[in-house]
Amino acid sequence: MFSDAADLFRSAAAKGTELSCLVVHETNYTEQFAVVPVIRNLQCQAVIVIGPALRHNHSEPSAEFWQEHGIPHEKRTKWTEYYRSLPFVDRLRLLYICVSANWMINQQALDITDVIESTLQYGLSDQQQEKERELTDRREYSIFHDGNAGQGHLLELIKRGEKNELIKQLAKMTNIDYISEVNSKRSHLRNVKNLAIGGVTLSSHMATQGGVYEELSSTLCGLHVKHIEELTDLAAVEAVVFAAIVDFAERVSQCRNNNVSKPVYRCKEYIYLHLFEEMTMQQMSDVSGLNSEYLSQLFKKETGLTLMNYIQRERIEEAKKLLDHSGDTITSISERLTFYDQSHFVKVFKKHAGVTPKQYRNRKRSR
């Protein structure tokens, strides 16, 4: 990572230029050093660095290490040779080395607990600075500016599925012009993304409480977060998080407009989670806690469809999405959705959609 080996020691020494007590410093690449300030007249006059050593006795870095640091295959041999050349020194031994070095250099008697405390305080000082910066950013870049009461009201609107009222409140509470203006001064995109991700996660939880399937809420949350992470513009992040919040509220509304009893709800959730698997009446009975005959009657009464017809309809709706958004063949789609064969799939698809899968796909593409 360095053109000159001495640069590695300088990077470690830089950690000790403002120290009043020695610390253990560990790099992102698992090298550890004892960093000992040379104290004269109560001032740090120099820094002595002892290391590097490895804290863990590994013959070579793990597969996760290579992946995490993006080290290409052609360079891994040299990295492995380097790591094998380093001595293994467990943390306790390194702490005693620190104590001995400090006595020799500063004639100051310390215990290993002093070194641990000094190391923790040094690390926490950076974290404390980061926390203070983040608190400032949260106040300056907050997506919503009505405090906890305003946020709580928004979350309740999501939970109740009140999409239209939610949009009105978002329009009042947003601050797009302000964020754009600030962005021209300095960028805190990472902090705004963190706030956005937190907002999406909270919205996901409220949607689940509002009746959206937990698996669906969780999956949608992951997709929205992935989208946010890919963005490079503050205004775009805000637009995406608002769209996500409204999306959750709309899905709650759809659930609430389709009120069913708990046994039927459990069946519908099970069907959603296992749509690409074979499902039997006995499985539905086990899930709902009702016998098959009574469950069939209840499901038909509350949904207007028999269980098997409902499963077929949900599979056709999923098939439409695959036809619209994937390049999968019709045969592949029918197999994934567990239809007996393609002709059976085509027959059921036409029954529910009014057209064949091929006609449906061609119609969408011709628009």
Side-chain angles (χ1 to χ4, degrees):
M1 297 299 295
F2 299 96
S3 57
D4 183 347
D7 288 338
L8 174 62
F9 295 96
R10 293 189 187 101
S11 70
K15 304 295 179 182
T17 53
E18 297 179 0
L19 289 179
S20 58
C21 187
L22 74 172
V23 299
V24 173
H25 168 61
E26 186 168 355
T27 71
N28 291 336
Y29 299 92
T30 70
E31 302 144 312
Q32 59 175 355
F33 300 86
V35 182
V36 188
V38 179
I39 305 297
R40 299 293 183 267
N41 300 320
L42 302 178
Q43 297 291 325
C44 177
Q45 302 294 330
V47 175
I48 294 177
V49 177
I50 304 171
L54 292 181
R55 184 177 181 178
H56 303 288
N57 190 15
H58 299 310
S59 58
E60 62 181 81
S62 65
E64 290 78 12
F65 179 91
W66 302 129
Q67 185 176 4
E68 178 183 354
H69 296 290
I71 299 168
H73 285 278
E74 60 271 17
K75 293 186 177 181
R76 293 181 183 180
T77 300
K78 285 189 175 182
W79 277 75
T80 300
E81 290 174 355
Y82 167 67
Y83 275 93
R84 286 177 177 171
S85 73
L86 298 180
F88 161 62
V89 179
D90 65 41
R91 182 52 63 91
L92 183 61
R93 184 181 173 200
L94 186 63
L95 290 171
Y96 279 115
I97 290 172
C98 289
V99 169
S100 299
N102 190 68
W103 172 254
M104 288 187 285
I105 296 164
N106 297 313
Q107 288 76 54
Q108 181 187 24
L110 295 177
D111 190 78
I112 63 169
T113 55
D114 297 315
V115 183
I116 294 171
E117 186 176 357
S118 175
T119 299
L120 288 175
Q121 288 179 348
Y122 179 76
L124 289 174
S125 66
D126 289 341
Q127 292 180 24
Q128 185 62 35
Q129 290 179 19
E130 181 61 31
K131 285 177 184 175
E132 293 299 328
R133 285 194 295 269
E134 186 170 344
L135 284 171
T136 300
D137 290 334
R138 282 179 179 270
R139 290 163 58 193
E140 182 177 2
Y141 288 95
S142 180
I143 294 174
F144 309 123
H145 288 268
D146 281 5
N148 289 334
Q151 177 178 295
H153 181 52
L154 285 176
L155 294 176
E156 276 301 312
L157 291 175
I158 296 168
K159 183 178 177 180
R160 297 198 299 264
E162 297 182 17
K163 174 186 170 184
N164 293 335
E165 182 61 26
L166 178 66
I167 292 173
K168 292 178 184 177
Q169 293 301 315
L170 286 172
K172 293 178 184 178
M173 300 171 75
T174 59
N175 209 19
I176 294 175
D177 293 337
Y178 177 76
I179 287 181
S180 298
E181 178 185 343
V182 173
N183 190 37
S184 64
K185 293 187 292 183
R186 57 190 176 91
S187 175
H188 281 248
L189 182 62
R190 178 68 263 161
N191 293 321
V192 176
K193 282 185 177 182
N194 290 343
L195 289 171
I197 290 168
V200 168
T201 303
L202 278 174
S203 301
S204 169
H205 292 325
M206 298 309 292
T208 300
Q209 291 182 31
V212 177
Y213 301 145
E214 185 175 355
E215 181 76 15
L216 175 58
S217 291
S218 177
T219 302
L220 284 171
C221 180
L223 292 173
H224 287 310
V225 168
K226 182 176 181 293
H227 189 185
I228 289 169
E229 289 289 13
E230 292 170 350
L231 298 173
T232 58
D233 179 73
L234 286 173
V237 172
E238 188 177 60
V240 167
V241 73
F242 294 157
I245 290 170
V246 172
D247 180 34
F248 282 121
E250 186 170 12
R251 291 178 188 274
V252 171
S253 177
Q254 291 170 357
C255 290
R256 295 207 162 194
N257 291 334
N258 190 23
N259 285 332
V260 293
S261 61
K262 187 168 287 187
V264 172
Y265 177 87
R266 287 174 179 167
C267 286
K268 292 175 74 173
E269 182 177 31
Y270 184 87
I271 291 166
Y272 172 81
L273 295 174
H274 299 83
L275 202 59
F276 292 88
E277 304 169 20
E278 293 283 356
M279 285 179 273
T280 66
M281 195 67 203
Q282 185 58 50
Q283 287 173 320
M284 297 296 107
S285 179
D286 293 341
V287 167
S288 66
L290 303 176
N291 66 60
S292 300
E293 184 177 351
Y294 180 65
L295 175 61
S296 297
Q297 294 173 359
L298 183 64
F299 198 94
K300 177 72 181 292
K301 178 182 177 181
E302 294 190 5
T303 68
L305 294 170
T306 67
L307 255 168
M308 291 306 120
N309 279 337
Y310 178 82
I311 293 172
Q312 277 191 349
R313 189 190 71 177
E314 292 301 292
R315 282 179 171 152
I316 296 307
E317 290 303 311
E318 190 66 27
K320 287 180 181 178
K321 296 174 186 176
L322 292 171
L323 289 166
D324 286 341
H325 305 299
S326 80
D328 292 358
T329 65
I330 293 173
T331 300
S332 172
I333 292 171
S334 69
E335 290 175 352
R336 289 177 64 185
L337 290 166
T338 72
F339 285 92
Y340 305 132
D341 52 37
Q342 186 173 332
S343 62
H344 179 231
F345 173 58
V346 172
K347 181 180 178 181
V348 175
F349 191 98
K350 189 169 184 179
K351 172 186 172 183
H352 288 276
V355 293
T356 66
K358 184 176 181 180
Q359 290 170 333
Y360 180 85
R361 174 171 269 176
N362 290 341
R363 182 176 62 179
K364 296 290 288 184
R365 288 176 175 177
S366 64
R367 289 179 180 175

